[in-house]
Amino acid sequence: MNIKALFLSIVLTLCLPISAAFAEETMGDPKYDGIEIVVNVNQASAQEIADLLKGIGLKKAEAIVQYREEQGPFKHIDDLAKVKGIGEATVAKNATRIQL
């Protein structure tokens, strides 16, 4: 095997998992195809938040509900990042799904 073939083999081996992850992220969940998913985080239950927002499990969803019960309703989407365990990246990933 020559150097170019070896290099190409290594590059492809490293890039395929990245390509697959990108394709999965952009394709989304087929059961929601054609459906605009919006969650009002000031009214939704923890289970609804966990089911409909990406990267938020039940524990984080419960933290969101607890935070809003203690601090009042969220006024801006970015306020979700104030909840322990919810980062700016998670908020950005769900920006089109979050309603106040």
Side-chain angles (χ1 to χ4, degrees):
M1 181 182 277
N2 68 30
I3 275 283
K4 285 183 182 179
L6 179 61
F7 179 74
L8 182 58
S9 173
I10 292 170
V11 169
L12 288 175
T13 302
L14 294 174
C15 291
L16 284 177
I18 295 168
S19 297
F22 178 76
E24 183 179 312
E25 179 67 27
T26 57
M27 290 175 59
D29 190 340
K31 74 179 179 181
Y32 295 123
D33 282 352
I35 300 171
E36 185 177 331
I37 299 170
V38 179
V39 181
N40 186 323
V41 294
N42 285 325
Q43 297 176 352
S45 69
Q47 188 64 57
E48 291 169 327
I49 293 169
D51 288 345
L52 299 173
L53 293 183
K54 298 175 184 178
I56 297 190
L58 189 55
K59 292 288 185 192
K60 288 182 183 179
E62 288 170 347
I64 290 171
V65 171
Q66 182 177 357
Y67 184 92
R68 81 168 185 233
E69 287 174 353
E70 293 173 358
Q71 305 295 323
F74 295 97
K75 292 181 178 33
H76 298 85
I77 290 174
D78 295 334
D79 290 343
L80 280 165
K82 295 177 182 176
V83 178
K84 184 177 181 182
I86 308 294
E88 292 177 11
T90 301
V91 175
K93 183 178 6 179
N94 288 289
T96 60
R97 295 173 175 240
I98 297 170
Q99 186 179 37
L100 302 175

